[in-house]
Amino acid sequence: MPSEEQLINLPSNSLNKGPAEEMKRHYKVSIKNLNAWFGAKQALKGINLDVKENTCTALIGPSGCGKTTLIRCLNRMHEMTIGASATGNVLVDDVDIYEKKADPVLVKRRIGMVFQKPNPFPTMSVYDNVAAGLKLNGIKDKALIEEIVKESLEGAALWSEVKDELDKPGVSLSGGQQQRLCIARALAMQPEVLLMDEPTSALDPIATSKIEELVHELKKDLTIIIVTHNMQQAARIADYTAFMYLGELIEYGPTKQIFENPEKELTERYISGKFG
Amino acid sequence: MKDRDNSFVRLYSRTITSLAVIFIMLGTVAISPIFQKVYAQSNDITINGAGATFPFPLIDSWRNEYQKIEPQVNINYQSIGSGGGIKQFTEKTIDFGASDAPLSESERERAPNAMHIPETIGSVVVSYNLSSVPEKGLHLTGPIIADIFLGKITKWNDPAITSLNTNLVLPDSEIIVTHRSDGSGTTFVWTDFLSKVSPEWQQQIGIGKSVQWPTGVGALGNEGVANVIGGTPNTIGYVELSYAISTKMPYAFLQNQEGNFIEPSFDSIQAAITTISASLPKGNASWTGVSSTNAPGKDSYPIASFSYLLLYKDLADNPSMSKEKAQELVNFVAWAVTDGQSYSKNLGYVPLPDSVVKLNQETLQMMTYNGLPIPPTISNGNEQTGSDGVFGIIAVVAASSVTGFVIYRRMKSKFHPTTKVDYQSRDDRKKRLSLFFLKENRLGDRIFKVVAIGAAGYTAFLMALVAYSTFAGSSDIFAHEGFFGFVFGTDWNPVEGRESYGALPYIIGTLASAGIAMAIGVPISLGIAIFVSEISTNKLGASLSFVIELLAAVPSIIYGLWALFVFRFWVRDLIELPLSNAFGETIPLFAKTPFGLDIFTAGIVLAIMIIPTVSSISREVMRVVPNSQREAAYSLGATRWEAVWTAVFPYARSGLLGASILGLGRAVGETMLVTMIIGNATGLGAIPTTLFSPSQTLSSLIANQFNEANTELHVSALVALGAVLFMITIMINIAARMVISYTSKMKVHKMKNNHQPSKMGTGDLPPTEIKNNSDGGSVNVIGNSTTGWKGHSNVQAIIRKESSKRILINKGVTLWTIACVVAAIVPLGSILLEVGKNGTSVISIEFLTQTPGAIGSRNGGIGPAVQGTLLVVGLGSLIAAPVGILAGIYLSEFAGKSRFADVVRFLNDALTGLPSIVIGIVAFVTIVLWIGTFSVLAGAFALSIIMIPIVVRVTEETLKIVPNTIREAGYSLGIPKWKITLFVVVASAKNGILTGIVLGISRITGETAPLIMTILGTSLFFTSLVGPVDALPLRIWRLASQPYESAHDFGWGAALILILMVLTMNISLRFLAQRKGGLGAANA
């Protein structure tokens, strides 16, 4: 009879066996030798990266460097594109989500994702958008759902703005509100890791700063990995920053160090705006 | 742990409950025949018969009268044509057949021991439209008529005619010959007469239900011929006597053998029959060659003929015939040939002379059942309490819903404990959620995928079945003529002994009419779609699209009637005559005097018919184009039209192509409508030489001749026309796909190589402008370049000039779209007006709920047709909608680029172009012959085959346009794919899918041809799933072909009901869709 603790740590309950035993639980997310392809084209080349719990890690780099591909590998979204594939290991709480027995659907329930453009479900109300993950995953308890919806909207700093308009279609909100709705939708699943793929690229500065504040708040409970095009944003919100170039991880370290004293020349040139 | 089990059960309880309810409903429906049998009176007997159209009013009034004498006996006779009657009689799907021609030797071989019982006498009269001879009485002789129909006498004032009619003034105009286009007993009698009086006719043309006409316009049914004669000056044609009497058409007096000119009348026809009755064979002998045309006797009218009932000598030959039924059948026939004859005269039929009645009575004495004689018995007058099919259905539905409800409640109370749990902390909740999630495995996804693949596989299977049956059915003719001989042959001669078949003229006719339809219909449809989705305000657009979808609700048979009575005259007088007068001499395309029954009219009406399909789907496809696309174009300063052209069209390209292909499919596969207005030429004459020539399409030829085709080769040739159509559709499809992929490649190519600055850029001024400038300037080119301001103002001028042009184009396009909307609404208005004007007067509760009264009377109603339509269409769409949607989901969400998906798509597209009558044939061969009777099931099966491709196509196209980010949002929440697909993706596309379903149901609700072959039709209410039922289009079709005013009114009334039914369905489906948005707002 496995303990509840083990059950929560899906997909694998081989917690005390094999190579997993050797890895100590220092890191929330641990990426080991990750390679990814689109058809025959390799998009990621042997990425190794460890992310600490309750931090925010930014992925930066020029367009096409693979940062979006990387983040999409972290919840096994990448392989859903036709022709795409990945090899390697991604450990979340020391459990490999690429293990054979791991279920890519169940993996996504523990790792939330926010996309580049706000994408609320077009046919659903604000309320239903937040509740969708719970309802469609079989939660029937209305009281529980209601509680979680409220808490998630509060968590996404949207509650005060929409509390009287919960029945309105989700798509009727403004762009910034829609993006926070999408964050609330992800939060409702009680994820442990939140992946954000350029979440502010389609938003104005005010909406952007709201999201950035939110990231500060959320990382108290979650581990956040964010892709951003905006280096200032990375400097503002990230505790750690990874610089990628042509599918390779060039440099990774505390944000301050990357921005003020990068080890690699390539990083320095990118940070200072010499290319990109 | 206990809680967890509970939640698991809860998770699935709803699914289990709904499944249970569905199974119970299905089970109840399945056993409903048993229900019905228990319920219905055990001595209630229904006798099914089918065949010749000519005696239908008489047999129908027998049905009505006989029920008064023998209330427990229901007679159900359906007019499907003599050939159909013989076919069904041979297949033993009916209890008795009826035919206007005796069985040929080959038919007797297939139905040995068949008895001929002449039940009434028919006669054919020559009718005409001459302004100088408005009354009956033109004198004609057999040889002259033969020469007219051979195309040898072409003028009304030909000396041969004028010499016989010295007291009449005949015009110096061309004789327009009209004949039946459909195979018919009338044509058989007519050609039999012509062969006797003209050796040349006998040699060249011969005798047959369909022959290769050397000249003239073909029209569908007596009704069609009468319409052509009535609406076109200087025509001549032939119709049934009863038809001419009741519609008061003028008719000619014909010269008989002894040289007298005889007016067709009951007496002159009875006289003719009496003179030959002594030479008639016994009922069980061969009647092949029996003919009563050109009979001797000084008072005999020369074109008279029997119509026959067909029975097996030993009635037990038909396995579904019980002894009681056999006895009742013999009793009924005995009554019909004696007492029943008294109803003849009122209906315009000639009563049998006594000598023939006596012959029939002798025949009936010979009847046996399992070898034992069953002579007619006198009725013992069984009383019975009324048995009503409607009540039976209500009982079944009520019983099943109660059972379902009770079980639902029980399951609900069992699986829904109302304990509420408090969740203390966030961690606690997290754990609880995790536990919930834990128990969910991936079974749902697997099941869903299997189900979707199953649906796609079923679709592919159906299509393959139809394709296989079509090609297998064609093998005889391909063996006879050779494949290329058939495809490129131009002869079409079904007369036995001279058979020769070639499809080329009809291939040309199909391509030409469909080409005209597409050339007119697609631009108008796109215009409407642009207006509704891009230009008009929401409300106007919504109501407009609703109105236009109404056009899809109009069954093609009503289009046909409307085109025949109203629209063809518009086309003739407003378009064809002006064009012909203006250009007829110079442009060969417009030569030939038009009269509105030609390939051009057919093309226009087909265009009107495909507009709702093409425009609705185009609208849906254009609506889902993301707004950002349009905005991008607007931001560059594009006008509305340019935004549509550069942003919306390319995005929606594949969807628009799909819409057009569906429209094309409908245009090439249409049967009834085309048959009514294309002029129905056969052989070389069917190759249109001008826009205004009569022609024939592959589908219309099948519709014209299939019911009367009675040799295997003829049937095979007609099925092979379906195969040819199948191949044409496939080729058009492939070509369209190639064009699309070619143009999209071209665009990319162009963009890559286009390094030149655009015309609007400053670096590329048109040379003329520079020249003007230097002319105006004083010195030289250098001056030009130094005074840069002038160059700049030139650019401004160009932009201004260009933009005023662009704004003009934009305005023009807007006007054009409005014109398109008007162009679609005018015919719709006209149709609705016509149907409303003629139909409203008959509508009442009785009309809707009662069984039909005697034909020609104003009693009774169309209750069985209403009920049957609901049943067949309901069942058909219950099969087609889920299968179609699931197959569409498979193609869009699961298949990717798999081979299997390509095969499904390919077959699906090819099938949309197959005429529905071919699908009817397939359903007949598979379901009807398998069960042994006509049935709701067979009808629903056939209709589902027609509807599935529409739903699949529309579902796939709309799902494809749902943005992928929406799916990814769902995946990112760890929701199983099947739930994302159903509750997010499909929910987003539900309007488009719904449009597909509405279009599909509208389409099948109006289908006639496949129903004739599957449900037969009846005047009785539904009694079992394995017996004939009625349907509105069938009823309209049969009512419209009757010569009685009241029948026509009933037909229009039925049409009105049909349109209202589709309308109600349309509205309620839309209403439902609006209510049930997404996950259900009720929870909030």
Side-chain angles (χ1 to χ4, degrees):
Chain A
M1 192 73 217
S3 74
E4 292 208 334
E5 182 68 12
Q6 281 170 307
L7 286 167
I8 294 167
N9 287 327
L10 268 180
S12 167
N13 51 12
S14 60
L15 195 63
N16 306 315
K17 286 179 271 169
E21 203 176 11
E22 296 155 24
M23 300 167 193
K24 290 179 183 169
R25 274 189 70 172
H26 289 313
Y27 300 108
K28 185 70 182 175
V29 179
S30 193
I31 302 166
K32 312 269 180 210
N33 192 26
L34 186 68
N35 296 285
W37 288 268
F38 288 103
K41 189 178 165 259
Q42 190 164 7
L44 290 181
K45 295 167 189 164
I47 305 287
N48 287 290
L49 189 77
D50 294 319
V51 176
K52 279 187 183 154
E53 198 160 359
N54 296 343
T55 60
C56 173
T57 303
L59 304 178
I60 62 170
S63 294
C65 69
K67 51 193 191 300
T68 293
T69 307
L70 175 57
I71 204 173
R72 285 168 65 90
C73 284
L74 301 187
N75 66 347
R76 299 193 60 175
M77 185 71 88
H78 170 70
E79 68 209 66
M80 306 199 70
T81 311
I82 292 170
S85 58
T87 63
N89 313 82
V90 174
L91 310 184
V92 177
D93 287 339
D94 296 342
V95 178
D96 185 3
I97 65 168
Y98 277 90
E99 187 195 296
K100 238 183 181 175
K101 272 199 262 168
D103 184 327
V105 171
L106 298 182
V107 162
K108 294 185 186 78
R109 290 184 187 166
R110 296 177 63 216
I111 305 172
M113 189 168 207
V114 177
F115 296 83
Q116 197 164 356
K117 274 202 288 184
N119 55 356
F121 295 131
T123 53
M124 295 183 199
S125 65
V126 170
Y127 182 97
D128 279 335
N129 255 290
V130 182
L134 302 174
K135 282 190 187 173
L136 291 178
N137 278 317
I139 309 287
K140 289 268 156 61
D141 188 324
K142 279 187 188 165
L144 176 63
I145 292 175
E146 218 161 280
E147 206 180 314
I148 294 180
V149 167
K150 180 164 183 264
E151 205 184 86
S152 307
L153 283 169
E154 282 169 351
L158 191 61
W159 176 251
S160 58
E161 292 165 55
V162 300
K163 65 172 186 285
D164 299 324
E165 302 173 325
L166 292 175
D167 290 341
K168 269 178 54 173
V171 283
S172 68
L173 301 178
S174 76
Q177 286 175 325
Q178 284 190 25
Q179 192 62 302
R180 278 179 283 147
L181 179 64
C182 292
I183 294 174
R185 179 176 65 189
L187 292 181
M189 296 294 289
Q190 319 294 323
E192 292 149 52
V193 179
L194 186 63
L195 309 173
M196 303 177 99
D197 184 6
E198 300 191 41
T200 61
S201 63
L203 303 181
D204 64 75
I206 295 171
T208 302
S209 70
K210 277 193 179 159
I211 303 261
E212 288 180 4
E213 279 166 34
L214 200 53
V215 170
H216 268 294
E217 283 301 310
L218 289 175
K219 75 177 179 192
K220 291 173 190 162
D221 289 319
L222 302 164
T223 307
I224 294 175
I225 301 173
I226 185 167
V227 168
T228 178
H229 231 98
N230 180 333
M231 278 178 285
Q232 286 73 32
Q233 185 173 61
R236 280 196 299 268
I237 61 175
D239 304 305
Y240 294 88
T241 296
F243 170 62
M244 295 179 67
Y245 186 66
L246 295 179
E248 286 178 74
L249 181 64
I250 305 298
E251 192 169 352
Y252 173 50
T255 301
K256 208 171 166 196
Q257 182 199 322
I258 296 285
F259 276 86
E260 287 171 8
N261 193 15
E263 281 175 11
K264 304 270 169 65
E265 195 204 334
L266 203 59
T267 316
E268 197 273 326
R269 285 179 58 201
Y270 181 72
I271 298 290
S272 58
K274 294 204 173 93
F275 77 101
Chain B
M1 278 328 269
K2 203 181 160 222
D3 270 336
R4 219 173 67 198
D5 288 345
N6 228 345
S7 54
F8 167 71
V9 171
R10 234 186 278 164
L11 195 67
Y12 288 98
S13 65
R14 197 178 287 174
T15 326
I16 295 168
T17 314
S18 4
L19 278 179
V21 171
I22 290 170
F23 274 120
I24 289 160
M25 295 287 258
L26 281 180
T28 328
V29 170
I31 59 162
S32 70
I34 304 169
F35 243 87
Q36 288 287 325
K37 273 193 186 130
V38 174
Y39 171 73
Q41 296 288 313
S42 54
N43 57 353
D44 223 26
I45 287 172
T46 300
I47 296 169
N48 290 313
T53 313
F54 160 64
F56 173 70
L58 181 63
I59 300 179
D60 197 63
S61 75
W62 288 343
R63 161 184 75 82
N64 213 42
E65 297 299 330
Y66 197 64
Q67 183 125 59
K68 292 178 191 160
I69 304 165
E70 293 281 349
Q72 82 283 11
V73 180
N74 300 311
I75 308 295
N76 174 33
Y77 180 74
Q78 295 301 317
S79 56
I80 58 173
S82 301
I86 293 171
K87 221 179 294 170
Q88 302 307 340
F89 176 71
T90 312
E91 300 283 1
K92 294 172 183 153
T93 58
I94 49 174
D95 302 321
F96 68 91
S99 169
D100 291 341
L103 294 184
S104 68
E105 282 308 330
S106 62
E107 283 162 350
R108 268 182 69 79
E109 273 168 34
R110 270 172 279 150
N113 297 324
M115 309 277 257
H116 288 78
I117 300 176
E119 95 281 23
T120 190
I121 298 162
S123 171
V124 180
V125 301
V126 177
S127 185
Y128 47 82
N129 179 343
L130 284 171
S131 50
S132 56
V133 193
E135 298 296 321
K136 63 184 179 183
L138 184 73
H139 283 202
L140 290 172
T141 69
I144 291 177
I145 299 172
D147 282 351
I148 293 175
F149 274 75
L150 280 167
K152 286 169 70 187
I153 296 180
T154 57
K155 292 272 184 174
W156 275 109
N157 63 353
D158 192 283
I161 307 176
T162 46
S163 63
L164 293 175
N165 298 283
T166 44
N167 54 335
L168 301 174
V169 184
L170 293 170
D172 177 27
S173 6
E174 214 176 303
I175 303 176
I176 298 171
V177 172
T178 174
H179 54 77
R180 290 282 289 270
S181 63
D182 49 332
S184 70
T186 311
T187 300
F188 182 85
V189 175
W190 177 248
T191 50
D192 182 42
F193 168 67
L194 292 183
S195 294
K196 279 191 187 165
V197 294
S198 159
E200 200 176 343
W201 182 276
Q202 191 185 15
Q203 217 168 21
Q204 277 185 22
I205 312 295
I207 309 168
K209 289 169 183 162
S210 312
V211 296
Q212 185 158 323
W213 298 97
T215 182
V217 181
L220 190 58
N222 279 312
E223 173 89 1
V225 172
N227 177 277
V228 173
I229 297 174
T232 320
N234 304 320
T235 42
I236 189 168
Y238 59 93
V239 292
E240 291 282 355
L241 170 70
S242 55
Y243 204 93
I245 291 176
S246 57
T247 57
K248 303 190 172 58
M249 299 166 74
Y251 45 77
F253 296 178
L254 300 188
Q255 193 180 37
N256 67 8
Q257 267 195 20
E258 319 224 332
N260 301 328
F261 287 92
I262 304 292
E263 173 176 359
S265 69
F266 294 141
D267 292 337
S268 62
I269 292 160
Q270 226 172 14
I273 294 295
T274 312
T275 57
I276 61 146
S277 58
S279 60
L280 290 177
K282 295 278 178 216
N284 58 346
S286 167
W287 283 59
T288 312
V290 169
S291 161
S292 40
T293 54
N294 208 21
K298 68 178 173 43
D299 297 325
S300 301
Y301 180 74
I303 322 178
S305 169
F306 288 121
S307 180
Y308 305 89
L309 295 183
L310 300 170
L311 297 174
Y312 284 101
K313 181 174 181 301
D314 194 292
L315 287 166
D317 278 5
N318 184 341
S320 67
M321 180 79 73
S322 68
K323 185 150 191 291
E324 292 73 32
K325 199 176 184 180
Q327 184 66 61
E328 293 297 349
L329 175 57
V330 172
N331 289 356
F332 165 68
V333 176
W335 175 85
V337 296
T338 53
D339 295 355
Q341 294 297 313
S342 61
Y343 302 99
S344 300
K345 278 193 174 175
N346 275 340
L347 294 166
Y349 290 86
V350 183
L352 297 173
D354 292 343
S355 50
V356 179
V357 173
K358 204 165 151 258
L359 179 77
N360 281 339
Q361 284 170 328
E362 285 165 18
T363 310
L364 286 171
Q365 291 295 336
M366 289 187 264
M367 307 292 294
T368 56
Y369 186 85
N370 275 334
L372 301 170
I374 42 166
T377 55
I378 301 151
S379 150
N380 48 13
N382 272 341
E383 285 302 313
Q384 71 144 98
T385 49
S387 111
D388 199 347
V390 173
F391 191 79
I393 288 191
I394 294 170
V396 169
V397 170
S400 53
S401 356
V402 167
T403 328
F405 184 70
V406 167
I407 293 193
Y408 176 77
R409 284 304 294 263
R410 286 194 62 178
M411 294 185 69
K412 207 176 171 185
S413 57
K414 207 168 175 182
F415 290 135
H416 289 263
T418 46
T419 45
K420 208 190 151 196
V421 199
D422 281 331
Y423 303 98
Q424 305 289 325
S425 66
R426 188 157 185 256
D427 275 350
D428 178 32
R429 196 160 61 227
K430 221 167 167 179
K431 277 178 194 166
R432 296 206 58 80
L433 286 179
S434 305
L435 293 175
F436 276 129
F437 294 162
L438 259 186
K439 289 308 289 183
E440 171 122 46
N441 55 27
R442 302 294 302 287
L443 197 63
D445 266 359
R446 257 175 254 142
I447 292 175
F448 187 67
K449 191 170 179 186
V450 167
V451 169
I453 292 180
Y458 176 72
T459 314
F461 164 75
L462 280 185
M463 312 310 159
L465 176 76
V466 173
Y468 171 77
S469 314
T470 315
F471 283 96
S474 320
S475 56
D476 276 0
I477 191 72
F478 288 153
H480 184 261
E481 299 271 352
F483 177 76
F484 290 104
F486 179 74
V487 171
F488 294 109
T490 53
D491 232 22
W492 189 271
N493 197 343
V495 176
E496 265 191 276
R498 313 176 183 195
E499 287 178 291
S500 159
Y501 300 97
L504 186 65
Y506 323 110
I507 295 175
I508 297 173
T510 301
L511 293 178
S513 62
I516 296 171
M518 295 301 278
I520 298 171
V522 169
I524 292 184
S525 305
L526 286 181
I528 294 169
I530 292 171
F531 185 80
V532 171
S533 89
E534 310 290 323
I535 294 177
S536 82
T537 59
N538 270 344
K539 245 185 189 166
L540 178 64
S543 36
L544 264 182
S545 37
F546 178 75
V547 167
I548 287 163
E549 261 167 42
L550 260 186
L551 270 173
V554 179
S556 60
I557 177 163
I558 297 176
Y559 273 108
L561 293 175
W562 167 77
L564 193 62
F565 289 118
V566 182
F567 190 65
R568 79 175 170 98
F569 298 108
W570 295 3
V571 174
R572 183 187 66 184
D573 298 340
L574 299 178
I575 305 176
E576 293 188 343
L577 279 177
L579 277 178
S580 164
N581 290 340
F583 306 111
E585 313 247 305
T586 46
I587 305 173
L589 198 62
F590 300 121
K592 192 170 168 72
T593 320
F595 46 92
L597 289 171
D598 49 45
I599 199 157
F600 183 66
T601 320
I604 295 183
V605 182
L606 281 176
I608 296 173
M609 204 188 65
I610 64 169
I611 283 174
T613 313
V614 181
S615 71
S616 321
I617 300 172
S618 306
R619 179 198 69 217
E620 285 306 323
V621 170
M622 283 164 68
R623 260 198 195 149
V624 279
V625 173
N627 235 355
S628 54
Q629 297 283 325
R630 292 180 188 92
E631 282 162 2
Y634 287 136
S635 73
L636 295 175
T639 61
R640 181 141 54 191
W641 162 244
E642 286 162 348
V644 170
W645 184 251
T646 57
V648 178
F649 274 4
Y651 198 91
R653 198 193 298 125
S654 126
L656 295 178
L657 176 76
S660 308
I661 284 185
L662 274 185
L664 180 68
R666 200 157 177 197
V668 298
E670 179 52 43
T671 47
M672 292 297 186
L673 162 64
V674 177
T675 311
M676 282 170 162
I677 50 170
I678 201 167
N680 299 305
T682 45
L684 269 177
I687 300 179
T689 49
T690 77
L691 214 46
F692 306 144
S693 312
S695 181
Q696 176 99 267
T697 68
L698 295 162
S699 313
S700 68
L701 189 57
I702 301 175
N704 269 320
Q705 299 196 345
F706 192 81
N707 282 337
E708 294 290 349
N710 50 3
T711 66
E712 267 167 34
L713 204 58
H714 192 186
V715 172
S716 172
L718 291 169
V719 173
L721 292 179
V724 170
L725 194 51
F726 201 75
M727 288 185 275
I728 291 179
T729 321
I730 287 173
M731 281 190 266
I732 293 174
N733 240 308
I734 293 174
R737 277 170 197 281
M738 276 164 63
V739 166
I740 282 289
S741 67
Y742 180 70
T743 50
S744 54
K745 263 181 206 155
M746 284 263 293
K747 276 208 173 130
V748 174
H749 187 70
K750 256 189 202 162
M751 272 157 70
K752 273 187 181 158
N753 290 324
N754 197 357
H755 297 302
Q756 307 271 328
S758 78
K759 243 190 177 177
M760 303 289 246
T762 45
D764 197 25
L765 288 176
T768 46
E769 298 287 332
I770 295 174
K771 202 180 157 203
N772 277 347
N773 207 3
S774 59
D775 285 350
S778 54
V779 207
N780 52 23
V781 188
I782 301 164
N784 195 14
S785 65
T786 47
T787 52
W789 274 110
K790 279 192 177 170
H792 186 73
S793 65
N794 273 335
V795 174
Q796 288 291 341
I798 296 163
I799 291 175
R800 220 172 295 133
K801 202 173 139 203
E802 281 277 316
S803 60
S804 66
K805 204 169 98 195
R806 286 164 55 204
I807 288 168
L808 215 67
I809 291 175
N810 190 47
K811 277 193 181 149
V813 171
T814 309
L815 280 178
W816 164 65
T817 61
I818 295 172
C820 290
V821 172
V822 174
I825 285 180
V826 167
L828 174 70
S830 172
I831 291 172
L832 292 184
L833 196 75
E834 196 73 11
V835 174
K837 192 176 73 189
N838 298 311
T840 36
S841 64
V842 297
I843 293 195
S844 63
I845 296 291
E846 291 83 62
F847 182 70
L848 282 173
T849 54
Q850 290 193 353
T851 54
I855 198 91
S857 78
R858 286 187 179 269
N859 300 328
I862 52 162
V866 173
Q867 184 200 32
T869 290
L870 289 175
L871 274 172
V872 181
V873 172
L875 201 56
S877 38
L878 268 185
I879 303 170
V883 170
I885 293 175
L886 282 168
I889 288 175
Y890 169 75
L891 292 179
S892 155
E893 305 295 310
F894 290 95
K897 291 187 190 308
S898 80
R899 265 284 149 75
F900 175 61
D902 283 341
V903 170
V904 174
R905 277 190 202 107
F906 185 73
L907 287 172
N908 197 56
D909 283 355
L911 203 86
T912 56
L914 209 58
S916 51
I917 194 167
V918 175
I919 290 164
I921 297 168
V922 172
F924 176 79
V925 173
T926 51
I927 307 282
V928 175
L929 290 187
W930 177 51
I931 297 181
T933 60
F934 296 96
S935 63
V936 181
L937 295 177
F941 177 71
L943 293 188
S944 74
I945 302 182
I946 299 170
M947 182 168 160
I948 284 174
I950 302 175
V951 180
V952 172
R953 191 62 146 118
V954 178
T955 304
E956 192 197 349
E957 291 304 337
T958 26
L959 286 184
K960 263 191 197 157
I961 290 171
V962 173
N964 215 19
T965 55
I966 300 293
R967 291 184 186 88
E968 292 198 332
Y971 297 141
S972 77
L973 296 173
I975 303 170
K977 183 167 180 173
W978 71 275
K979 283 185 175 171
I980 299 172
T981 307
L982 284 186
F983 299 116
V984 179
V985 181
V986 172
S988 309
K990 73 171 185 261
N991 275 337
I993 294 174
L994 207 66
T995 301
I997 293 176
V998 167
L999 283 175
I1001 297 183
S1002 303
R1003 163 95 198 254
I1004 62 171
T1005 309
E1007 277 296 346
T1008 318
L1011 292 185
I1012 295 175
M1013 324 250 358
T1014 50
I1015 66 171
L1016 184 67
T1018 170
S1019 296
L1020 306 167
F1021 277 109
F1022 171 83
T1023 47
S1024 90
L1025 281 177
V1026 290
V1029 286
D1030 210 14
L1032 282 167
L1034 276 187
R1035 180 63 43 187
I1036 297 169
W1037 172 236
R1038 290 192 175 139
L1039 286 168
S1041 56
Q1042 299 306 321
Y1044 310 105
E1045 190 82 1
S1046 60
H1048 292 175
D1049 288 351
F1050 270 42
W1052 287 115
L1056 187 58
I1057 299 293
L1058 187 54
I1059 293 177
L1060 287 178
M1061 271 170 67
V1062 179
L1063 190 66
T1064 318
M1065 175 211 59
N1066 200 323
I1067 295 172
S1068 44
L1069 267 184
R1070 275 177 196 286
F1071 182 70
L1072 272 180
Q1074 266 176 4
R1075 289 278 310 270
K1076 283 193 177 170
L1079 277 170
N1083 290 325

